[in-house]
């Protein structure tokens, strides 16, 4: 019933997928985590780039194959997002890759207009919930964090909500605050994985990756340094809390349009 979650907080090589894959392989080999789930940042092969032309991979090619190899090697699900191209469209796509090579995917819904992401990438329109060791997990991407309706845990559909991100240091307070809010309002564990370092657009990233209990307190808070951390989540604690404090039974009903 427990779930071991490993987060990878790292700097990234700008628009160099091969270098990033090699770097992450080395980091994971050195850490050799005994875990069920490994979470990488958003756009972990390139950094948060708005110039995917000539850089984005065709869907389901090199990086997906690398993720399948790493998932098998570590016998854990591996997840994170990459820029991909499908026909004329570019997408910020999260892959959820299992040790047996099967996978699911989620295309980022909320595109960060302040960086003109909405002019470059095509938004997704379907949320993903996947099962892992009896846990239901909802993986989302960065700017999705600001939109509680998209993250809403209707009827406790998921047990773990996770966000992969390239969230700049200048907005670190909203990142930390919103992660806690999503855990509290959704009666679920929340994992937020951000990068560190400075990209080629001179945007600095403070990391602040975190794992948060459904009651809102931190099970893990990271410093502004690279690191790989593993935390064990208790399904029994989650179920006991939901039974003692069933706020989900009083949640407002709504539907999404468009």
């Amino acid at each position: 019933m427990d779930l071991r979650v490993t987060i990878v907080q790292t700097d990234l090589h700008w628009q160099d997928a091969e270098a990033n894959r090699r770097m992450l392989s080395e980091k994971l080999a050195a850490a050799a985590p005994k875990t069920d789930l490994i979470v990488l940042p958003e756009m972990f092969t390139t950094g948060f780039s708005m110039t995917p032309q000539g850089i984005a991979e065709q869907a389901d090619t090199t990086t997906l194959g690398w993720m399948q190899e790493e998932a098998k090697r570590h016998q854990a699900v591996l997840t994170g997002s990459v820029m991909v191209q499908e026909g004329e469209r570019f997408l910020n796509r999260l892959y959820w890759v299992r040790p047996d090579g099967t996978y699911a995917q989620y295309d980022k819904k909320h595109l960060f207009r302040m960086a003109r992401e909405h002019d470059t990438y095509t938004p997704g329109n379907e949320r993903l919930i996947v099962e892992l060791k009896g846990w239901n997990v909802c993986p989302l991407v960065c700017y999705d964090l600001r939109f509680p309706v998209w993250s809403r845990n209707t009827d406790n559909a998921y047990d773990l909500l996770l966000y992969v991100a390239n969230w700049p240091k200048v907005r670190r307070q909203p990142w930390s605050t919103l992660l806690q809010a999503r855990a509290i309002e959704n009666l679920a564990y929340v994992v937020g994985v951000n990068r560190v370092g400075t990209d080629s657009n001179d945007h600095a990233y403070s990391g602040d990756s975190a794992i948060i209990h459904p009651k809102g307190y931190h099970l893990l808070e990271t410093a502004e340094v690279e690191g790989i951390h593993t935390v064990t989540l208790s399904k029994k604690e989650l179920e006991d809390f939901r039974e003692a404090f069933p706020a989900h039974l009083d949640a407002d009903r709504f539907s999404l349009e468009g």
Side-chain angles (χ1 to χ4, degrees):
M1 295 291 282
D2 290 344
L3 188 71
R4 296 167 297 182
V5 179
T6 297
I7 66 169
V8 181
Q9 180 168 284
T10 184
D11 198 353
L12 297 171
H13 300 283
W14 183 248
Q15 297 186 161
D16 191 337
E18 184 178 354
N20 283 308
R21 289 191 296 264
R22 183 171 59 250
M23 174 267 293
L24 288 165
S25 289
E26 292 170 354
K27 287 179 181 292
L28 289 172
K34 291 185 177 181
T35 190
D36 303 304
L37 172 62
I38 300 170
V39 188
L40 306 178
E42 178 185 23
M43 287 195 182
F44 65 83
T45 57
T46 57
F48 191 61
S49 171
M50 295 301 106
T51 56
Q53 297 81 3
I55 300 170
E57 299 176 23
Q58 295 298 312
D60 311 339
T61 53
T62 306
T63 295
L64 177 60
W66 172 85
M67 294 179 76
Q68 290 168 323
E69 291 174 2
E70 292 295 323
K72 181 179 180 180
R73 179 174 294 114
H74 296 284
Q75 285 299 293
V77 167
L78 182 65
T79 192
S81 90
V82 297
M83 59 166 72
V84 301
Q85 183 173 3
E86 284 188 343
E88 299 299 315
R89 304 186 309 155
F90 297 105
L91 304 112
N92 186 345
R93 174 165 291 173
L94 177 143
Y95 285 116
W96 176 272
V97 182
R98 305 176 186 93
D100 65 2
T102 62
Y103 66 93
Q105 62 192 39
Y106 163 74
D107 295 331
K108 185 178 181 181
K109 163 71 171 175
H110 298 93
L111 302 178
F112 190 55
R113 73 175 50 247
M114 282 64 84
R116 312 305 297 178
E117 187 181 14
H118 67 302
D119 289 335
T120 306
Y121 296 89
T122 299
N125 57 14
E126 211 171 307
R127 207 171 67 166
L128 174 68
I129 296 179
V130 282
E131 188 275 336
L132 176 59
K133 287 188 66 179
W135 292 66
N136 289 326
V137 184
C138 179
L140 298 175
V141 181
C142 202
Y143 193 43
D144 287 331
L145 175 62
R146 285 187 176 266
F147 301 95
V149 171
W150 189 243
S151 303
R152 183 68 64 84
N153 193 13
T154 304
D155 295 325
N156 289 335
Y158 61 74
D159 306 304
L160 169 62
L161 179 63
L162 68 86
Y163 298 92
V164 302
N166 273 208
W167 194 288
K169 182 176 182 178
V170 69
R171 289 184 289 277
R172 68 191 307 183
Q173 186 62 40
W175 164 257
S176 297
T177 302
L178 291 171
L179 287 174
Q180 284 186 289
R182 297 294 88 85
I184 293 167
E185 70 193 9
N186 290 305
L187 303 178
Y189 289 98
V190 168
V191 170
V193 178
N194 194 22
R195 63 163 293 182
V196 292
T198 301
D199 67 21
S200 288
N201 292 318
D202 290 327
H203 296 310
Y205 301 88
S206 56
D208 299 312
S209 299
I211 298 179
I212 301 172
H213 190 276
K215 293 182 180 180
Y217 62 80
H218 284 77
L219 298 170
L220 174 70
E221 290 181 275
T222 62
E224 194 175 333
V225 294
E226 295 185 312
I228 296 179
H229 309 273
T230 300
V231 171
T232 299
L233 310 183
S234 169
K235 186 72 172 295
K236 185 176 187 305
E237 278 191 34
L238 174 64
E239 292 174 342
D240 288 349
F241 176 53
R242 285 174 171 174
E243 183 177 355
F245 194 80
H248 62 283
L249 298 178
D250 300 311
D252 301 306
R253 295 288 167 177
F254 64 93
S255 60
L256 292 174
E257 297 180 3

